Amino acid sequence: MMVQIRTVVKDDAGWRALIHHNNVLARPDAPQSQHGSQTPRPPAAKPPDCKNPLETLPYKPKSQAERDIIAAFQTLEGAVTRNDADEWVKHMADEFVVYRTNQHPTTKAERAAFIRTLGAINAETFVAEVAWMKLWVLGNAAVMRADHVMPGNRRPPYRATRLWVKRDGRWQMAMSQQTTVVE
């Protein structure tokens, strides 16, 4: 099964394509897979040190909206490294779905439940470094395009497109499309 995500925007020149992703998903009969170590650690073990993206990014924001989106992104990624599902869900729209190469689509509820299982064992959870990033803010919607590399090659490099929506004065991720980069 393949999912295609086409992001189009309307500007003064009319509608134009911004980003296009094709992603091969897991077969319907394939088991659900999640990324992240499922090895228990001592309760006092600290989360991994992921300076990029938690503290720095290879992108200089051009507006307050971009700064706010980056802050939300860094906060939710920090919640992932701490296996903190309660903080993570605050930054995800109710309709959130992530699509990853060779995996089943994962909803907000499914991802939060998995983060909770990792939290129960204090699993070591890394987030991918951002190698390149760009943002387009379009009123109360935004598109984030980024290339990611995982420390220690725990996952192949991937290209992500994330759609953000501003609701009740805060930015929330509504969709993430992550396509493995094959060289």
Side-chain angles (χ1 to χ4, degrees), residues 160-180:
T161 296
R162 296 176 176 95
L163 300 181
W164 293 80
V165 293
K166 188 173 185 181
R167 295 186 180 137
D168 300 323
R170 61 192 175 100
W171 288 97
Q172 297 179 307
M173 191 185 305
M175 193 274 305
S176 179
Q177 168 84 4
Q178 301 174 9
T179 305
T180 299

Side-chain angles (χ1 to χ4, degrees), residues 56-93:
T56 63
L57 288 168
Y59 184 77
K60 184 173 171 83
K62 298 181 221 57
S63 67
Q64 185 60 49
E66 288 188 359
R67 284 187 286 283
D68 293 344
I69 293 165
I70 288 170
F73 177 68
Q74 290 176 313
T75 301
L76 73 87
E77 291 287 79
V80 169
T81 67
R82 295 184 315 277
N83 302 310
D84 183 350
D86 293 336
E87 181 63 30
W88 181 84
V89 298
K90 294 176 187 176
H91 305 281
M92 311 312 278

Side-chain angles (χ1 to χ4, degrees), residues 131-147:
W132 180 89
M133 188 173 109
K134 176 132 175 82
L135 275 167
W136 295 268
V137 178
L138 311 155
N140 287 329
V143 178
M144 175 188 281
R145 197 354 226 108
D147 290 343

Side-chain angles (χ1 to χ4, degrees), residues 48-127:
D49 185 22
C50 301
K51 291 202 183 317
N52 172 347
L54 303 184
E55 296 175 21
T56 63
L57 288 168
Y59 184 77
K60 184 173 171 83
K62 298 181 221 57
S63 67
Q64 185 60 49
E66 288 188 359
R67 284 187 286 283
D68 293 344
I69 293 165
I70 288 170
F73 177 68
Q74 290 176 313
T75 301
L76 73 87
E77 291 287 79
V80 169
T81 67
R82 295 184 315 277
N83 302 310
D84 183 350
D86 293 336
E87 181 63 30
W88 181 84
V89 298
K90 294 176 187 176
H91 305 281
M92 311 312 278
D94 289 341
E95 69 273 18
F96 173 79
V97 177
V98 60
Y99 301 92
R100 292 186 187 102
T101 302
N102 295 321
Q103 293 189 25
H104 295 285
T106 305
T107 65
K108 176 181 179 177
E110 291 166 333
R111 181 73 179 131
F114 184 70
I115 293 170
R116 284 187 179 89
T117 65
L118 297 176
I121 61 169
N122 194 27
E124 186 173 45
T125 307
F126 287 86
V127 292

Side-chain angles (χ1 to χ4, degrees), residues 19-32:
I19 298 170
H20 178 100
H21 270 271
N22 285 335
N23 218 347
V24 176
L25 301 178
R27 293 186 353 226
D29 59 343
Q32 180 78 338

